[in-house]
Amino acid sequence: MSISKIWVLAESADSKPTSITLELLTFARGLNATVEAVGFGDSSESIVSELGNYGASTFNVVTDVNDSLPGVPVASAIANAVNSGNGPDLLLIGATYDGRDIAARLSAKLNLPVLTNVTGLESSGDDLIAHHSIFGGTQIAKAKFTTDSTPQIFVIRAKTFGAEPAGGGAASVNQLTAGDLGATNGAKIIARHVEERTGPKLDEADIVVSGGRGLSDKANYSMIEELAKLLKGAPGASRAIVDAGWVPYAYQVGQTGKTVKPTVYLACGISGATQHLVGMKNAKNIIAINKDPEAPIFSVADLGIVGDTQKILPKLIEELKARA
């Protein structure tokens, strides 16, 4: 299928596009097609400037979302654009809560298939081949659309691509309307709760310090948080200690948590189950601390330290404080 126009779902937070939005725009620029963003709510100068800087010529924004969940109005507006002949050939959506909701509703409205949980995309002639991580990340399945119906819809996991600015000017703004939504738009947002944190977001941090069962006790996780703060990074966790209730789910790194791709990933007391490795193995530098010399985490580590985290971390924290 020939691709002439690509839309990227643009989500924003704190008056700027999310990192996954910028990652998808960067990939879309390489497909030699017109790249536009489609989103909802905020179309402020800071948003359109950053979208343009990463390659979007236009920001198609759905303004009549109000207090609704965005899935219903945004899917309806995109479907209207497609049915009127003004839609894209390819739609790239981040695997976020809102992104998955929009993709599902749009699929139902247009009677089109969706390829989800994509961890890689490659061009093969006129086709895009999606990569899907299976069996705990040990194997990659490949899939493609076998119909010429458009748009082709891909739902893509964070950190699949890098984000690189293109240096373009601000995107122009084009308003999309959702039309009559009837009873489907009955749910309303009555409150928003943002989890408190200090330092960078886990999936955007340049340095991530994660802890696992090797910490032995919930109280010892404070060393992970202190070390992350000293390194100006973000604290993370394995699923084991999230399930044990030591830390919130938002800290979890892995197949069922967040995918991270920092410059440095420090794994403390994490054995390295394949489900965890899927979420962090593409870090540029991996440092592992574990008292088991046969721990799987050492198979992906650039630097491995065999030892007890409860003895090593206090010394490391002490040294960093002395240098500060």
Side-chain angles (χ1 to χ4, degrees), residues 60-264:
N60 301 286
V61 60
V62 184
T63 57
D64 49 353
V65 173
N66 300 319
D67 293 327
S68 302
L69 294 170
V72 173
V74 174
S76 178
I78 295 175
N80 287 346
V82 171
N83 290 331
S84 66
N86 296 317
D89 303 305
L90 174 64
L91 179 58
L92 304 179
I93 297 176
T96 63
Y97 293 120
D98 287 332
R100 288 190 289 261
D101 188 29
I102 291 168
R105 294 179 184 277
L106 186 59
S107 173
K109 280 185 171 294
L110 297 177
N111 193 30
L112 289 176
V114 180
L115 284 174
T116 65
N117 202 33
V118 175
T119 57
L121 271 178
E122 62 175 288
S123 296
S124 178
D126 291 334
D127 295 321
L128 279 178
I129 310 298
H131 295 190
H132 306 268
S133 179
I134 60 174
F135 300 133
T138 60
Q139 300 292 327
I140 297 295
K142 296 184 178 182
K144 69 175 183 178
F145 290 104
T146 57
T147 173
D148 290 331
S149 299
T150 58
Q152 293 187 349
I153 306 170
F154 294 89
V155 180
I156 302 169
R157 291 193 62 154
K159 305 305 176 186
T160 296
F161 311 114
E164 297 291 340
S172 61
V173 178
N174 175 49
Q175 292 191 0
L176 296 181
T177 57
D180 184 11
L181 302 174
T184 61
N185 204 36
K188 300 294 180 184
I189 299 173
I190 59 174
R192 294 181 183 272
H193 301 277
V194 179
E195 190 169 26
E196 292 185 7
R197 62 174 175 83
T198 57
K201 293 181 179 179
L202 175 58
D203 50 359
E204 296 179 4
D206 197 46
I207 297 175
V208 173
V209 182
S210 284
R213 282 183 295 190
L215 294 171
S216 298
D217 189 270
K218 179 179 180 179
N220 291 330
Y221 190 80
S222 61
M223 293 189 293
I224 299 295
E225 295 177 310
E226 185 174 7
L227 183 55
K229 186 176 181 180
L230 288 168
L231 294 172
K232 295 181 173 58
S238 67
R239 178 173 177 172
I241 66 171
V242 170
D243 287 348
W246 292 11
V247 294
Y249 169 71
Y251 284 42
Q252 184 176 322
V253 174
Q255 187 175 27
T256 54
K258 286 187 171 65
T259 300
V260 299
K261 198 176 181 180
T263 300
V264 176

Side-chain angles (χ1 to χ4, degrees), residues 278-309:
V278 168
M280 46 65 70
K281 65 182 180 180
N282 290 323
K284 291 183 180 178
N285 300 282
I286 299 172
I287 303 171
I289 304 173
N290 200 292
K291 62 183 180 181
D292 178 8
E294 303 299 323
I297 191 70
F298 289 128
S299 67
V300 298
D302 298 287
L303 173 63
I305 303 171
V306 178
D308 189 342
T309 57

Side-chain angles (χ1 to χ4, degrees), residues 310-321:
Q310 297 170 61
K311 295 179 180 179
I312 294 172
L313 292 186
K315 293 291 186 181
L316 180 55
I317 290 170
E318 181 182 342
E319 179 66 24
L320 288 171
K321 285 182 175 179

